[in-house]
Amino acid sequence: MRLPLFIAYRYLFSKKKINAINIITAIAMLGFGVGAFAMVAVLSTFNGLSEIVEGTINNYDPDLKISAAKSKTFVFNQDLVQKIQQLDEVKNITNTLEEKVVLKYDDHQEIARIKGVGPNFDANKFDTLMVLGSFELGDSSSNYGVFGGGLSNKLNLFPGSPEVVTVFVPRRDVEYNSLNPMAALSTKYLRSSGIFLVHEEVDNEIFITSLKFAQDLLSYPHSVSSLEIELLPDSDPQEVKENIETILGSTYQVKTRKELNEVIYKIFRSEKWFTFAILSLVLFISSFNIFGSLVMLVLDKKKDIGILKSMGAGEDTIRKVFMWQGSYIAIIGGASGILLAAALVLAQEYFGFITMDSAMVQEYPVKLLLRDIVLTFATVSILGYLISIYPSIKASKTLISNIN
């Protein structure tokens, strides 16, 4: 095994009779280096973006969300809460009410989704999501709400705006009267206290206010649409979900945070692997430089092949020499690109020298994962091995009688 490795190493760095072989080999190494660098850098960027989105989702969505299985709302009672609080992993339970409403501010009118939250709602975790104003929902004498960034932009609404926001929705207990249509609407007013950003779907339609405001507006005095559960650190959401389902039965459905945002997680995963496939294709195209280099090297080293065979080297030894030659080119080029990319990503991760203006985070998000490095190195090695198969077999089949 050492002989093919040694010969392949000497062939890689020795001077060839045909100078084009050296140039093509250098281009092949450079191609693999650039491809591996791009793969690690891009995958690390996806990791960083995914971590930011996941962080904002964690601050907005609860660990578990309980809702009625067959209706939009259910009557809230303390017996239900006490059953859930029996579980040691449960830290906090917040009752919420959500429904579609119409908002009117100045000359702007938009369909939105109101989310009323109970007094147990943890406002502290919302601090990282607030971009303007503060998280304030008002009291018995005044009503406030915090609005998603997209919705606020549609309404041209900002914290401290002088005009009140009109919120109205069809009343459930009154029939529509064409002579007096406004009588069939439930109307309330509030002001904006802040603007938050989570992700586009939430930002474009959600505003959060007090539960009492939402219940009065929607004529649901004792009903809620869901219970949001916060778990203690290191708790397993899936395990707690199964325990709650056992306690509550089939009347209620329980979803984890990942199940609530299943589409977002799928999009990130699919985009990351789609990008990986494109960069793998780029590496595959670059690998044809190795193919050309090996074919020309076989022609250049025909005499050496003849000498080795005359000395008793078998076809397997000759084949391994050129297999290792192609693998060396791919591995050295790819490893150089991986090391350079890893150094750059780690520098950005710890020092943040690349910054962004007018964004949620100041430093460009990246995160280096060992599995991405291993995956990139494996891709480089496999492509180098596969592209070397045909030239190495061709070299091993060279007959001594045809050397001259």
Short mmCIF file of all heavy atoms in Angstrom, two decimals, residues 52-53 56-57 60-61 126 129 149 196-200 202-203 360:
data_model
loop_
_atom_site.label_atom_id
_atom_site.label_comp_id
_atom_site.label_asym_id
_atom_site.label_seq_id
_atom_site.Cartn_x
_atom_site.Cartn_y
_atom_site.Cartn_z
N ILE A 52 -30.71 32.42 13.98
CA ILE A 52 -31.40 33.68 14.29
C ILE A 52 -32.91 33.50 14.21
O ILE A 52 -33.66 33.92 15.09
CB ILE A 52 -30.93 34.80 13.33
CG1 ILE A 52 -29.52 35.23 13.70
CG2 ILE A 52 -31.87 35.99 13.40
CD1 ILE A 52 -28.95 36.27 12.80
N VAL A 53 -33.37 32.86 13.11
CA VAL A 53 -34.81 32.63 12.94
C VAL A 53 -35.35 31.75 14.07
O VAL A 53 -36.41 32.02 14.64
CB VAL A 53 -35.09 31.98 11.57
CG1 VAL A 53 -36.55 31.55 11.48
CG2 VAL A 53 -34.76 32.96 10.45
N THR A 56 -35.71 33.83 17.24
CA THR A 56 -36.90 34.69 17.25
C THR A 56 -38.16 33.87 17.43
O THR A 56 -39.08 34.29 18.14
CB THR A 56 -36.99 35.51 15.95
OG1 THR A 56 -37.00 34.63 14.82
CG2 THR A 56 -35.82 36.46 15.81
N ILE A 57 -38.21 32.69 16.80
CA ILE A 57 -39.37 31.81 16.96
C ILE A 57 -39.48 31.35 18.41
O ILE A 57 -40.58 31.29 18.98
CB ILE A 57 -39.26 30.60 16.01
CG1 ILE A 57 -39.50 31.05 14.56
CG2 ILE A 57 -40.26 29.50 16.39
CD1 ILE A 57 -39.26 29.96 13.54
N TYR A 60 -41.10 33.94 20.44
CA TYR A 60 -42.49 34.25 20.10
C TYR A 60 -43.42 33.08 20.39
O TYR A 60 -44.44 33.23 21.06
CB TYR A 60 -42.60 34.65 18.62
CG TYR A 60 -44.03 34.94 18.20
CD1 TYR A 60 -44.63 36.15 18.53
CD2 TYR A 60 -44.77 34.00 17.50
CE1 TYR A 60 -45.94 36.42 18.17
CE2 TYR A 60 -46.09 34.26 17.14
CZ TYR A 60 -46.67 35.48 17.46
OH TYR A 60 -47.97 35.72 17.11
N ASP A 61 -43.09 31.91 19.86
CA ASP A 61 -43.96 30.74 20.03
C ASP A 61 -43.63 30.00 21.32
O ASP A 61 -42.47 29.92 21.73
CB ASP A 61 -43.80 29.78 18.84
CG ASP A 61 -44.50 30.30 17.60
OD1 ASP A 61 -45.63 30.79 17.73
OD2 ASP A 61 -43.91 30.24 16.51
N PHE A 126 -39.94 38.90 25.06
CA PHE A 126 -40.29 39.66 23.86
C PHE A 126 -39.33 40.81 23.61
O PHE A 126 -39.35 41.43 22.55
CB PHE A 126 -41.72 40.20 23.99
CG PHE A 126 -42.61 39.87 22.82
CD1 PHE A 126 -43.15 38.60 22.69
CD2 PHE A 126 -42.88 40.82 21.85
CE1 PHE A 126 -43.96 38.30 21.62
CE2 PHE A 126 -43.69 40.51 20.77
CZ PHE A 126 -44.23 39.25 20.66
N LEU A 129 -37.35 40.86 20.46
CA LEU A 129 -38.11 40.97 19.22
C LEU A 129 -38.55 42.40 18.94
O LEU A 129 -38.90 42.73 17.81
CB LEU A 129 -39.36 40.07 19.28
CG LEU A 129 -39.12 38.58 19.58
CD1 LEU A 129 -40.45 37.84 19.61
CD2 LEU A 129 -38.20 37.96 18.55
N GLY A 149 -44.04 44.12 12.35
CA GLY A 149 -43.42 45.14 11.51
C GLY A 149 -44.10 45.33 10.17
O GLY A 149 -44.29 46.45 9.70
N PHE A 196 -42.70 44.79 16.65
CA PHE A 196 -41.81 43.63 16.80
C PHE A 196 -41.60 42.95 15.45
O PHE A 196 -42.38 43.14 14.51
CB PHE A 196 -42.39 42.63 17.82
CG PHE A 196 -43.68 41.98 17.39
CD1 PHE A 196 -43.69 40.80 16.65
CD2 PHE A 196 -44.90 42.54 17.72
CE1 PHE A 196 -44.87 40.21 16.26
CE2 PHE A 196 -46.10 41.96 17.34
CZ PHE A 196 -46.08 40.78 16.60
N LEU A 197 -40.55 42.16 15.37
CA LEU A 197 -40.24 41.39 14.16
C LEU A 197 -39.97 39.95 14.55
O LEU A 197 -39.17 39.68 15.45
CB LEU A 197 -39.01 41.96 13.45
CG LEU A 197 -39.16 43.32 12.75
CD1 LEU A 197 -37.81 43.77 12.18
CD2 LEU A 197 -40.21 43.27 11.65
N VAL A 198 -40.63 39.01 13.87
CA VAL A 198 -40.40 37.57 14.08
C VAL A 198 -40.04 36.94 12.74
O VAL A 198 -38.90 36.67 12.45
CB VAL A 198 -41.64 36.88 14.69
CG1 VAL A 198 -41.36 35.40 14.93
CG2 VAL A 198 -42.04 37.55 15.99
N HIS A 199 -41.04 36.71 11.91
CA HIS A 199 -40.83 36.31 10.52
C HIS A 199 -42.01 36.82 9.71
O HIS A 199 -43.03 37.28 10.27
CB HIS A 199 -40.65 34.79 10.37
CG HIS A 199 -41.78 33.97 10.93
ND1 HIS A 199 -42.98 33.82 10.29
CD2 HIS A 199 -41.87 33.26 12.08
CE1 HIS A 199 -43.78 33.05 11.02
NE2 HIS A 199 -43.13 32.69 12.11
N GLU A 200 -41.91 36.78 8.40
CA GLU A 200 -42.84 37.49 7.53
C GLU A 200 -44.30 37.14 7.80
O GLU A 200 -45.16 38.03 7.83
CB GLU A 200 -42.49 37.17 6.07
CG GLU A 200 -43.28 38.00 5.07
CD GLU A 200 -42.84 37.74 3.64
OE1 GLU A 200 -41.92 36.93 3.43
OE2 GLU A 200 -43.42 38.37 2.73
N VAL A 202 -45.85 36.17 10.50
CA VAL A 202 -46.32 36.79 11.74
C VAL A 202 -46.31 38.31 11.61
O VAL A 202 -47.28 38.99 11.97
CB VAL A 202 -45.45 36.35 12.94
CG1 VAL A 202 -45.80 37.16 14.19
CG2 VAL A 202 -45.65 34.87 13.22
N ASP A 203 -45.22 38.86 11.08
CA ASP A 203 -45.06 40.31 11.01
C ASP A 203 -46.15 40.99 10.19
O ASP A 203 -46.52 42.14 10.47
CB ASP A 203 -43.70 40.67 10.39
CG ASP A 203 -42.53 40.13 11.23
OD1 ASP A 203 -42.76 39.82 12.41
OD2 ASP A 203 -41.43 40.00 10.68
N MET A 360 -31.82 43.12 11.77
CA MET A 360 -32.14 42.68 13.13
C MET A 360 -30.87 42.46 13.95
O MET A 360 -30.87 42.67 15.16
CB MET A 360 -32.95 41.38 13.08
CG MET A 360 -34.38 41.56 12.64
SD MET A 360 -35.28 39.99 12.69
CE MET A 360 -35.24 39.62 14.44
#
